[in-house]
Amino acid sequence: MTHGFGPYAEALDQAFRHTGMWLSSFPTRPVLPRSTEREVWSRLGAELPQSSCRAAEVVNHLATAVEPGLAAMGSGRYFGWVMGGILPAAMAADWLVTAWDQNSGSREAAPAMVATENLAAKWLLELLKLPLGSEVGFTTGSTMAHFSCLAAARYKILRAAGWDLDANGLAGGPPVHILVGEERHKTIDVALRYLGLGLPTVVPGDDQGRIRLDALYDALKRCDGPAILCLQAGNVNSGAFDPIADATDMAHECDAWVHVDGAFGLWAAASPKLEHLVNGGDRVDSWATDAHKTLNVPYDCGIAIVTQRGALRQAMGYDPVLNDSGDAPVNPFDTVPEVSRRARGVPVWAALRSLGRWGVRDLVDGLVDNARAIADGIASLEGAEILNEVVYTQVCAAFGDDERTRAVLARLLAEGTICATAVKWRGRQAIRLSVSNWSTDAADVSIALDAMRRATTM
Ligand SMILES: *Cc1c(COP(=O)(O)O)cnc(C)c1O
């Protein structure tokens, strides 16, 4: 098959064969790893080898040593954390990105990759109903998208306050007030720490984890000077969305920058049935989202979106002085933390081309329908309780007291038919299932419910 590929042929043949075995094992394999980290380490060899080894043999050794330690994150029965699978077009496109090996930081070096990523960015803005002139950076994930967006926010609001961050740094400048919801994702705090912005003011949330507007109003009243509000679209436990439109209007009254963590929730905008959840999203200043979750492209791929043109470039640009001119063509390295970088936006183009607008809608609607079916099925089990309003892809279940819930999860994971995650939700132990895989179907849902039933009745 790969004859004529010169020194690559044998290794690629082996990689293709192992890929096929891996993907075709999904229907029957347990989704959790069967080997420990230690065991994989030993099988890989432990000691640095002295001599060389044929590429094909390396691939065989690697695949064989690692395989039993793999989690089937691409399987439709993997409901742990918030993990997307891989669409076939996105996977194949990612292989090509590897083979092409384009250093995709600049259009001068990699015009084809810049064209493809820019088109993916344009399609994303249309699909997610965000202002079409926004700047888009393809990051490694939402954490780095937060970092990039909040760097733009920090730069802009300090500049508006008359402070030149590039020349002076943060020390001695006006204090920046950061407001976050009580149930924000931890990666917001991580990004704030990277940026030296200090501890945020925490605004209480309601029973679904949504930021409370009355409390936000009070907190904003106490801010004098530059401020950034971080909202959330899609709480990792409940799936709930902050009231983005009202919170944004309130924050903008105080000239605060509004950033939204929409790691998996922003994709609601692609569905006419769900877009009300992100109502007002087109008015916020920046968004972070992941393509490696809901869109089901391979790791790693996050997206930073900043609506004010030039802001991302001024904060993240390779050459911020030149970039200050505002409309020089943006290179990828002007929007993200890396200079040399993989063209990780190319699989996004492939995913969008393969699904089209209605395919993305059906993907998101399908995840939510399956989450609701799982929640309904669990609710009918003896002693079970669904702890959240299932408005999106997340389901939190409890089975009586914390001890019993932990025991149910332990039995579920020991069996390994499905993966779910232990979480604390509003002070209670819960089992969380996230439906984020394009391939999860009705059969997977009923297999999951059977596994839950066995775990509760054993
Ligand atoms: C996953 C997630 C993040 C972090 O994204 P990474 O891609 O892991 O960096 C942030 N916020 C929410 C709500 C998430 O689900």
Side-chain angles (χ1 to χ4, degrees):
M1 161 164 332
T2 40
H3 300 306
F5 286 16
Y8 295 97
E10 271 187 18
L12 286 179
D13 268 344
Q14 289 309 315
F16 191 76
R17 191 172 67 85
H18 285 289
T19 301
M21 291 195 305
W22 167 247
L23 295 174
S24 61
S25 75
F26 283 178
T28 50
R29 75 181 292 130
V31 292
L32 293 171
R34 286 160 294 164
S35 267
T36 63
E37 180 185 332
R38 254 286 136 201
E39 288 162 355
V40 173
W41 160 281
S42 315
R43 279 199 299 269
L44 284 170
E47 300 301 326
L48 173 66
Q50 302 293 353
S51 55
S52 65
C53 177
R54 291 173 66 83
E57 246 175 78
V58 174
V59 172
N60 262 333
H61 179 183
L62 174 66
T64 312
V66 155
E67 196 267 356
L70 296 174
M73 293 182 190
S75 150
R77 287 180 283 115
Y78 196 95
F79 304 105
W81 294 274
V82 185
M83 310 270 207
I86 320 187
L87 291 164
M91 182 189 291
D94 200 56
W95 284 4
L96 288 175
V97 169
T98 297
W100 292 333
D101 196 29
Q102 304 285 290
N103 184 337
S104 304
S106 80
R107 53 165 44 82
E108 189 189 357
M113 299 296 92
V114 172
T116 314
E117 289 195 322
N118 281 349
L119 192 54
K122 177 179 176 287
W123 288 355
L124 279 170
L125 294 175
E126 271 179 51
L127 185 72
L128 301 174
K129 306 187 176 84
L130 297 176
L132 298 183
S134 304
E135 263 164 10
V136 176
F138 288 100
T139 60
T140 50
S142 280
T143 307
M144 278 296 115
H146 291 328
F147 175 75
S148 306
C149 290
L150 292 172
R154 182 183 68 168
Y155 183 92
K156 278 292 182 189
I157 57 161
L158 282 175
R159 202 178 155 107
W163 185 257
D164 184 344
L165 182 66
D166 288 344
N168 304 319
L170 279 174
V176 179
H177 300 276
I178 312 286
L179 292 92
V180 299
E182 183 185 1
E183 289 289 345
R184 71 203 173 279
H185 196 269
K186 260 194 199 142
T187 51
I188 289 285
D189 300 72
V190 170
L192 293 173
R193 212 161 66 228
Y194 291 173
L195 290 161
L197 288 171
L199 285 180
T201 299
V202 177
V203 182
D206 66 11
D207 64 337
Q208 297 300 309
R210 293 171 293 224
I211 202 165
R212 270 178 35 206
L213 289 171
D214 58 333
L216 176 61
Y217 182 80
D218 292 342
L220 281 165
K221 253 193 344 210
R222 287 193 297 272
C223 291
D224 49 347
I228 300 172
L229 169 64
C230 298
L231 297 173
Q232 176 165 256
N235 176 287
V236 80
N237 288 323
S238 68
F241 291 67
D242 284 344
I244 292 169
D246 289 344
T248 299
D249 289 347
M250 241 183 230
H252 280 170
E253 283 282 308
C254 309
D255 295 323
W257 178 289
V258 179
H259 172 69
V260 176
D261 176 357
F264 63 99
L266 178 55
W267 300 88
S271 155
K273 275 193 262 179
L274 301 166
E275 64 180 328
H276 65 94
L277 294 168
V278 288
N279 186 24
D282 54 338
R283 301 206 292 277
V284 312
D285 300 286
S286 60
W287 285 92
T289 190
D290 274 325
H292 58 218
K293 289 177 178 164
T294 316
L295 188 62
N296 280 256
V297 308
Y299 294 103
D300 39 30
C301 188
I303 304 162
I305 301 163
V306 177
T307 53
Q308 199 181 129
R309 257 198 115 62
L312 196 54
R313 190 184 333 170
Q314 279 164 323
M316 305 304 291
Y318 192 50
D319 194 344
V321 179
L322 266 187
N323 288 337
D324 224 22
S325 68
D327 43 28
V330 185
N331 279 300
F333 60 37
D334 291 320
T335 60
V336 295
E338 303 95 347
V339 173
S340 295
R341 61 181 290 280
R342 178 180 181 79
R344 58 172 56 84
V346 170
V348 172
W349 178 89
L352 296 177
R353 179 62 198 90
S354 117
L355 295 173
R357 189 192 291 271
W358 305 137
V360 179
R361 172 199 63 191
D362 294 346
L363 165 64
V364 180
D365 284 345
L367 300 178
V368 177
D369 288 346
N370 284 330
R372 291 201 171 119
I374 286 175
D376 290 346
I378 292 175
S380 71
L381 297 176
E382 182 75 31
E385 194 185 339
I386 299 297
L387 301 182
N388 64 316
E389 290 167 20
V390 182
V391 295
Y392 199 55
T393 55
Q394 309 297 98
V395 179
C396 271
F399 296 84
D401 61 18
D402 288 1
E403 199 185 333
R404 175 143 195 274
T405 301
R406 271 194 290 271
V408 169
L409 182 62
R411 285 196 292 265
L412 192 69
L413 297 183
E415 188 192 86
T417 306
I418 67 167
C419 179
T421 306
V423 298
K424 281 272 182 194
W425 178 239
R426 310 300 288 179
R428 283 184 73 183
Q429 182 65 49
I431 299 175
R432 186 183 72 206
L433 293 93
S434 173
V435 187
S436 300
N437 190 299
W438 70 278
S439 72
T440 299
D441 58 16
D444 291 321
V445 169
S446 84
I447 289 168
L449 290 172
D450 287 344
M452 294 294 290
R453 185 174 308 113
R454 283 192 297 278
T456 53
T457 53
M458 256 163 61

mmCIF file of all heavy atoms in Angstrom, residues 139-179:
data_model
loop_
_atom_site.group_PDB
_atom_site.id
_atom_site.type_symbol
_atom_site.label_atom_id
_atom_site.label_comp_id
_atom_site.label_asym_id
_atom_site.label_seq_id
_atom_site.Cartn_x
_atom_site.Cartn_y
_atom_site.Cartn_z
ATOM 1 N N THR A 139 -5.311 27.520 19.534
ATOM 2 C CA THR A 139 -4.412 27.217 20.650
ATOM 3 C C THR A 139 -4.422 25.714 20.925
ATOM 4 O O THR A 139 -5.118 24.956 20.244
ATOM 5 C CB THR A 139 -4.900 27.950 21.910
ATOM 6 O OG1 THR A 139 -6.224 27.497 22.229
ATOM 7 C CG2 THR A 139 -4.929 29.461 21.694
ATOM 8 N N THR A 140 -3.683 25.315 21.953
ATOM 9 C CA THR A 140 -3.663 23.887 22.297
ATOM 10 C C THR A 140 -4.947 23.445 22.986
ATOM 11 O O THR A 140 -5.275 22.276 22.995
ATOM 12 C CB THR A 140 -2.486 23.585 23.241
ATOM 13 O OG1 THR A 140 -2.529 24.538 24.319
ATOM 14 C CG2 THR A 140 -1.159 23.709 22.511
ATOM 15 N N GLY A 141 -5.656 24.380 23.617
ATOM 16 C CA GLY A 141 -6.896 24.032 24.312
ATOM 17 C C GLY A 141 -7.520 25.300 24.866
ATOM 18 O O GLY A 141 -7.060 26.420 24.584
ATOM 19 N N SER A 142 -8.558 25.127 25.680
ATOM 20 C CA SER A 142 -9.238 26.297 26.240
ATOM 21 C C SER A 142 -8.368 27.015 27.272
ATOM 22 O O SER A 142 -8.494 28.223 27.452
ATOM 23 C CB SER A 142 -10.567 25.895 26.883
ATOM 24 O OG SER A 142 -11.545 25.737 25.884
ATOM 25 N N THR A 143 -7.504 26.277 27.949
ATOM 26 C CA THR A 143 -6.644 26.933 28.929
ATOM 27 C C THR A 143 -5.802 28.013 28.252
ATOM 28 O O THR A 143 -5.737 29.157 28.711
ATOM 29 C CB THR A 143 -5.723 25.898 29.613
ATOM 30 O OG1 THR A 143 -6.531 24.839 30.122
ATOM 31 C CG2 THR A 143 -4.930 26.518 30.741
ATOM 32 N N MET A 144 -5.177 27.641 27.142
ATOM 33 C CA MET A 144 -4.357 28.610 26.421
ATOM 34 C C MET A 144 -5.214 29.642 25.680
ATOM 35 O O MET A 144 -4.757 30.760 25.415
ATOM 36 C CB MET A 144 -3.416 27.887 25.455
ATOM 37 C CG MET A 144 -2.184 27.361 26.130
ATOM 38 S SD MET A 144 -1.154 28.709 26.810
ATOM 39 C CE MET A 144 -1.276 28.385 28.533
ATOM 40 N N ALA A 145 -6.453 29.266 25.371
ATOM 41 C CA ALA A 145 -7.374 30.249 24.775
ATOM 42 C C ALA A 145 -7.756 31.285 25.839
ATOM 43 O O ALA A 145 -7.794 32.487 25.546
ATOM 44 C CB ALA A 145 -8.603 29.555 24.205
ATOM 45 N N HIS A 146 -8.004 30.824 27.081
ATOM 46 C CA HIS A 146 -8.246 31.787 28.172
ATOM 47 C C HIS A 146 -7.049 32.722 28.308
ATOM 48 O O HIS A 146 -7.188 33.931 28.425
ATOM 49 C CB HIS A 146 -8.399 31.076 29.527
ATOM 50 C CG HIS A 146 -9.644 30.264 29.678
ATOM 51 N ND1 HIS A 146 -10.825 30.590 29.073
ATOM 52 C CD2 HIS A 146 -9.892 29.147 30.404
ATOM 53 C CE1 HIS A 146 -11.739 29.700 29.416
ATOM 54 N NE2 HIS A 146 -11.200 28.810 30.206
ATOM 55 N N PHE A 147 -5.874 32.110 28.339
ATOM 56 C CA PHE A 147 -4.640 32.887 28.518
ATOM 57 C C PHE A 147 -4.522 33.964 27.437
ATOM 58 O O PHE A 147 -4.259 35.126 27.731
ATOM 59 C CB PHE A 147 -3.433 31.932 28.480
ATOM 60 C CG PHE A 147 -2.106 32.608 28.522
ATOM 61 C CD1 PHE A 147 -1.630 33.141 29.708
ATOM 62 C CD2 PHE A 147 -1.339 32.733 27.372
ATOM 63 C CE1 PHE A 147 -0.388 33.783 29.743
ATOM 64 C CE2 PHE A 147 -0.110 33.378 27.401
ATOM 65 C CZ PHE A 147 0.370 33.899 28.592
ATOM 66 N N SER A 148 -4.775 33.577 26.196
ATOM 67 C CA SER A 148 -4.622 34.520 25.082
ATOM 68 C C SER A 148 -5.684 35.615 25.151
ATOM 69 O O SER A 148 -5.385 36.802 24.990
ATOM 70 C CB SER A 148 -4.715 33.766 23.744
ATOM 71 O OG SER A 148 -3.787 32.696 23.732
ATOM 72 N N CYS A 149 -6.941 35.218 25.387
ATOM 73 C CA CYS A 149 -8.035 36.194 25.443
ATOM 74 C C CYS A 149 -7.855 37.141 26.628
ATOM 75 O O CYS A 149 -8.072 38.351 26.507
ATOM 76 C CB CYS A 149 -9.384 35.484 25.600
ATOM 77 S SG CYS A 149 -9.900 34.568 24.142
ATOM 78 N N LEU A 150 -7.471 36.586 27.773
ATOM 79 C CA LEU A 150 -7.341 37.429 28.963
ATOM 80 C C LEU A 150 -6.091 38.312 28.876
ATOM 81 O O LEU A 150 -6.055 39.400 29.465
ATOM 82 C CB LEU A 150 -7.344 36.570 30.233
ATOM 83 C CG LEU A 150 -8.705 35.894 30.506
ATOM 84 C CD1 LEU A 150 -8.604 34.909 31.669
ATOM 85 C CD2 LEU A 150 -9.794 36.933 30.792
ATOM 86 N N ALA A 151 -5.091 37.884 28.106
ATOM 87 C CA ALA A 151 -3.940 38.763 27.845
ATOM 88 C C ALA A 151 -4.404 39.960 27.016
ATOM 89 O O ALA A 151 -3.992 41.103 27.271
ATOM 90 C CB ALA A 151 -2.833 37.988 27.125
ATOM 91 N N ALA A 152 -5.270 39.692 26.035
ATOM 92 C CA ALA A 152 -5.819 40.788 25.218
ATOM 93 C C ALA A 152 -6.650 41.726 26.096
ATOM 94 O O ALA A 152 -6.552 42.958 25.989
ATOM 95 C CB ALA A 152 -6.665 40.216 24.077
ATOM 96 N N ALA A 153 -7.449 41.126 26.993
ATOM 97 C CA ALA A 153 -8.289 41.918 27.896
ATOM 98 C C ALA A 153 -7.415 42.804 28.792
ATOM 99 O O ALA A 153 -7.659 44.002 28.938
ATOM 100 C CB ALA A 153 -9.146 40.984 28.757
ATOM 101 N N ARG A 154 -6.397 42.189 29.374
ATOM 102 C CA ARG A 154 -5.498 42.903 30.286
ATOM 103 C C ARG A 154 -4.852 44.086 29.571
ATOM 104 O O ARG A 154 -4.806 45.202 30.094
ATOM 105 C CB ARG A 154 -4.420 41.919 30.772
ATOM 106 C CG ARG A 154 -3.436 42.463 31.766
ATOM 107 C CD ARG A 154 -2.372 41.431 32.119
ATOM 108 N NE ARG A 154 -1.491 41.153 30.973
ATOM 109 C CZ ARG A 154 -0.345 40.482 31.057
ATOM 110 N NH1 ARG A 154 0.048 39.968 32.209
ATOM 111 N NH2 ARG A 154 0.403 40.278 29.992
ATOM 112 N N TYR A 155 -4.373 43.821 28.360
ATOM 113 C CA TYR A 155 -3.716 44.875 27.576
ATOM 114 C C TYR A 155 -4.671 46.033 27.311
ATOM 115 O O TYR A 155 -4.353 47.203 27.546
ATOM 116 C CB TYR A 155 -3.225 44.278 26.253
ATOM 117 C CG TYR A 155 -2.475 45.277 25.411
ATOM 118 C CD1 TYR A 155 -1.088 45.387 25.516
ATOM 119 C CD2 TYR A 155 -3.151 46.118 24.528
ATOM 120 C CE1 TYR A 155 -0.387 46.317 24.756
ATOM 121 C CE2 TYR A 155 -2.459 47.055 23.777
ATOM 122 C CZ TYR A 155 -1.085 47.151 23.886
ATOM 123 O OH TYR A 155 -0.412 48.075 23.150
ATOM 124 N N LYS A 156 -5.873 45.688 26.837
ATOM 125 C CA LYS A 156 -6.822 46.725 26.401
ATOM 126 C C LYS A 156 -7.368 47.552 27.561
ATOM 127 O O LYS A 156 -7.473 48.771 27.454
ATOM 128 C CB LYS A 156 -7.982 46.074 25.640
ATOM 129 C CG LYS A 156 -7.650 45.797 24.185
ATOM 130 C CD LYS A 156 -7.511 47.120 23.440
ATOM 131 C CE LYS A 156 -7.229 46.908 21.969
ATOM 132 N NZ LYS A 156 -6.881 48.181 21.303
ATOM 133 N N ILE A 157 -7.730 46.877 28.651
ATOM 134 C CA ILE A 157 -8.345 47.673 29.724
ATOM 135 C C ILE A 157 -7.306 48.528 30.445
ATOM 136 O O ILE A 157 -7.617 49.612 30.916
ATOM 137 C CB ILE A 157 -9.131 46.803 30.742
ATOM 138 C CG1 ILE A 157 -8.245 45.746 31.343
ATOM 139 C CG2 ILE A 157 -10.375 46.185 30.126
ATOM 140 C CD1 ILE A 157 -8.830 45.212 32.615
ATOM 141 N N LEU A 158 -6.063 48.055 30.487
ATOM 142 C CA LEU A 158 -5.032 48.893 31.103
ATOM 143 C C LEU A 158 -4.707 50.077 30.205
ATOM 144 O O LEU A 158 -4.478 51.195 30.661
ATOM 145 C CB LEU A 158 -3.777 48.059 31.391
ATOM 146 C CG LEU A 158 -3.895 47.189 32.643
ATOM 147 C CD1 LEU A 158 -2.669 46.299 32.803
ATOM 148 C CD2 LEU A 158 -4.085 48.057 33.897
ATOM 149 N N ARG A 159 -4.722 49.822 28.924
ATOM 150 C CA ARG A 159 -4.466 50.915 27.985
ATOM 151 C C ARG A 159 -5.568 51.971 28.088
ATOM 152 O O ARG A 159 -5.284 53.172 28.070
ATOM 153 C CB ARG A 159 -4.422 50.331 26.579
ATOM 154 C CG ARG A 159 -3.666 51.190 25.619
ATOM 155 C CD ARG A 159 -3.640 50.489 24.283
ATOM 156 N NE ARG A 159 -3.478 51.466 23.244
ATOM 157 C CZ ARG A 159 -2.338 51.604 22.571
ATOM 158 N NH1 ARG A 159 -1.315 50.825 22.823
ATOM 159 N NH2 ARG A 159 -2.245 52.515 21.630
ATOM 160 N N ALA A 160 -6.815 51.496 28.208
ATOM 161 C CA ALA A 160 -7.933 52.436 28.350
ATOM 162 C C ALA A 160 -7.799 53.253 29.626
ATOM 163 O O ALA A 160 -8.266 54.391 29.706
ATOM 164 C CB ALA A 160 -9.258 51.681 28.334
ATOM 165 N N ALA A 161 -7.117 52.674 30.626
ATOM 166 C CA ALA A 161 -6.914 53.396 31.888
ATOM 167 C C ALA A 161 -5.643 54.249 31.838
ATOM 168 O O ALA A 161 -5.198 54.777 32.862
ATOM 169 C CB ALA A 161 -6.843 52.402 33.046
ATOM 170 N N GLY A 162 -5.032 54.308 30.654
ATOM 171 C CA GLY A 162 -3.852 55.167 30.496
ATOM 172 C C GLY A 162 -2.542 54.505 30.900
ATOM 173 O O GLY A 162 -1.528 55.175 31.089
ATOM 174 N N TRP A 163 -2.557 53.181 31.021
ATOM 175 C CA TRP A 163 -1.355 52.469 31.464
ATOM 176 C C TRP A 163 -0.759 51.673 30.306
ATOM 177 O O TRP A 163 -1.462 50.872 29.690
ATOM 178 C CB TRP A 163 -1.712 51.534 32.626
ATOM 179 C CG TRP A 163 -0.520 50.853 33.233
ATOM 180 C CD1 TRP A 163 -0.133 49.552 33.043
ATOM 181 C CD2 TRP A 163 0.444 51.427 34.112
ATOM 182 N NE1 TRP A 163 1.000 49.290 33.751
ATOM 183 C CE2 TRP A 163 1.389 50.424 34.420
ATOM 184 C CE3 TRP A 163 0.618 52.705 34.667
ATOM 185 C CZ2 TRP A 163 2.479 50.652 35.267
ATOM 186 C CZ3 TRP A 163 1.703 52.926 35.513
ATOM 187 C CH2 TRP A 163 2.617 51.902 35.793
ATOM 188 N N ASP A 164 0.526 51.888 30.032
ATOM 189 C CA ASP A 164 1.207 51.178 28.942
ATOM 190 C C ASP A 164 1.868 49.922 29.512
ATOM 191 O O ASP A 164 2.955 49.973 30.088
ATOM 192 C CB ASP A 164 2.250 52.104 28.299
ATOM 193 C CG ASP A 164 2.930 51.461 27.105
ATOM 194 O OD1 ASP A 164 2.839 50.217 26.953
ATOM 195 O OD2 ASP A 164 3.560 52.196 26.323
ATOM 196 N N LEU A 165 1.183 48.804 29.327
ATOM 197 C CA LEU A 165 1.638 47.535 29.889
ATOM 198 C C LEU A 165 2.979 47.099 29.300
ATOM 199 O O LEU A 165 3.858 46.614 30.013
ATOM 200 C CB LEU A 165 0.557 46.473 29.630
ATOM 201 C CG LEU A 165 0.786 45.080 30.178
ATOM 202 C CD1 LEU A 165 0.789 45.083 31.698
ATOM 203 C CD2 LEU A 165 -0.286 44.128 29.674
ATOM 204 N N ASP A 166 3.146 47.250 27.986
ATOM 205 C CA ASP A 166 4.385 46.801 27.340
ATOM 206 C C ASP A 166 5.592 47.546 27.894
ATOM 207 O O ASP A 166 6.654 46.956 28.112
ATOM 208 C CB ASP A 166 4.301 47.014 25.826
ATOM 209 C CG ASP A 166 3.355 46.020 25.173
ATOM 210 O OD1 ASP A 166 3.028 45.007 25.833
ATOM 211 O OD2 ASP A 166 2.942 46.249 24.032
ATOM 212 N N ALA A 167 5.428 48.838 28.111
ATOM 213 C CA ALA A 167 6.562 49.633 28.587
ATOM 214 C C ALA A 167 6.796 49.439 30.080
ATOM 215 O O ALA A 167 7.944 49.350 30.522
ATOM 216 C CB ALA A 167 6.314 51.114 28.284
ATOM 217 N N ASN A 168 5.726 49.343 30.858
ATOM 218 C CA ASN A 168 5.868 49.416 32.320
ATOM 219 C C ASN A 168 5.660 48.108 33.067
ATOM 220 O O ASN A 168 5.977 48.027 34.249
ATOM 221 C CB ASN A 168 4.858 50.431 32.886
ATOM 222 C CG ASN A 168 5.020 51.791 32.230
ATOM 223 O OD1 ASN A 168 6.147 52.234 31.999
ATOM 224 N ND2 ASN A 168 3.926 52.439 31.903
ATOM 225 N N GLY A 169 5.079 47.114 32.406
ATOM 226 C CA GLY A 169 4.711 45.903 33.138
ATOM 227 C C GLY A 169 3.526 46.184 34.046
ATOM 228 O O GLY A 169 2.903 47.248 33.976
ATOM 229 N N LEU A 170 3.209 45.199 34.885
ATOM 230 C CA LEU A 170 2.027 45.342 35.741
ATOM 231 C C LEU A 170 2.308 46.179 36.992
ATOM 232 O O LEU A 170 1.437 46.888 37.486
ATOM 233 C CB LEU A 170 1.541 43.962 36.201
ATOM 234 C CG LEU A 170 0.691 43.141 35.232
ATOM 235 C CD1 LEU A 170 0.457 41.757 35.826
ATOM 236 C CD2 LEU A 170 -0.641 43.837 34.969
ATOM 237 N N ALA A 171 3.544 46.073 37.499
ATOM 238 C CA ALA A 171 3.848 46.685 38.800
ATOM 239 C C ALA A 171 3.667 48.199 38.751
ATOM 240 O O ALA A 171 4.149 48.856 37.828
ATOM 241 C CB ALA A 171 5.274 46.333 39.216
ATOM 242 N N GLY A 172 2.939 48.712 39.709
ATOM 243 C CA GLY A 172 2.717 50.154 39.785
ATOM 244 C C GLY A 172 1.522 50.637 38.983
ATOM 245 O O GLY A 172 1.141 51.797 39.077
ATOM 246 N N GLY A 173 0.945 49.742 38.179
ATOM 247 C CA GLY A 173 -0.200 50.128 37.353
ATOM 248 C C GLY A 173 -1.494 50.112 38.143
ATOM 249 O O GLY A 173 -1.516 49.699 39.310
ATOM 250 N N PRO A 174 -2.582 50.539 37.513
ATOM 251 C CA PRO A 174 -3.865 50.508 38.211
ATOM 252 C C PRO A 174 -4.268 49.063 38.505
ATOM 253 O O PRO A 174 -4.003 48.175 37.689
ATOM 254 C CB PRO A 174 -4.847 51.137 37.211
ATOM 255 C CG PRO A 174 -4.108 51.315 35.942
ATOM 256 C CD PRO A 174 -2.660 51.047 36.139
ATOM 257 N N PRO A 175 -4.869 48.795 39.665
ATOM 258 C CA PRO A 175 -5.300 47.421 39.949
ATOM 259 C C PRO A 175 -6.378 46.982 38.960
ATOM 260 O O PRO A 175 -7.217 47.798 38.568
ATOM 261 C CB PRO A 175 -5.860 47.503 41.366
ATOM 262 C CG PRO A 175 -6.051 48.937 41.660
ATOM 263 C CD PRO A 175 -5.200 49.735 40.732
ATOM 264 N N VAL A 176 -6.304 45.718 38.544
ATOM 265 C CA VAL A 176 -7.304 45.171 37.633
ATOM 266 C C VAL A 176 -8.254 44.296 38.454
ATOM 267 O O VAL A 176 -7.813 43.358 39.114
ATOM 268 C CB VAL A 176 -6.639 44.328 36.524
ATOM 269 C CG1 VAL A 176 -7.694 43.747 35.595
ATOM 270 C CG2 VAL A 176 -5.644 45.165 35.731
ATOM 271 N N HIS A 177 -9.543 44.633 38.434
ATOM 272 C CA HIS A 177 -10.528 43.831 39.160
ATOM 273 C C HIS A 177 -10.971 42.679 38.278
ATOM 274 O O HIS A 177 -11.392 42.900 37.140
ATOM 275 C CB HIS A 177 -11.755 44.669 39.511
ATOM 276 C CG HIS A 177 -11.431 45.845 40.357
ATOM 277 N ND1 HIS A 177 -11.307 45.771 41.732
ATOM 278 C CD2 HIS A 177 -11.170 47.128 40.031
ATOM 279 C CE1 HIS A 177 -10.991 46.963 42.201
ATOM 280 N NE2 HIS A 177 -10.900 47.813 41.193
ATOM 281 N N ILE A 178 -10.880 41.484 38.822
ATOM 282 C CA ILE A 178 -11.335 40.318 38.072
ATOM 283 C C ILE A 178 -12.539 39.740 38.790
ATOM 284 O O ILE A 178 -12.467 39.452 39.991
ATOM 285 C CB ILE A 178 -10.245 39.225 37.995
ATOM 286 C CG1 ILE A 178 -8.885 39.806 37.578
ATOM 287 C CG2 ILE A 178 -10.689 38.108 37.080
ATOM 288 C CD1 ILE A 178 -8.770 40.168 36.149
ATOM 289 N N LEU A 179 -13.626 39.561 38.068
ATOM 290 C CA LEU A 179 -14.821 38.945 38.643
ATOM 291 C C LEU A 179 -15.067 37.609 37.955
ATOM 292 O O LEU A 179 -15.028 37.531 36.721
ATOM 293 C CB LEU A 179 -16.041 39.846 38.458
ATOM 294 C CG LEU A 179 -16.014 41.144 39.249
ATOM 295 C CD1 LEU A 179 -15.395 42.259 38.427
ATOM 296 C CD2 LEU A 179 -17.410 41.525 39.660
#
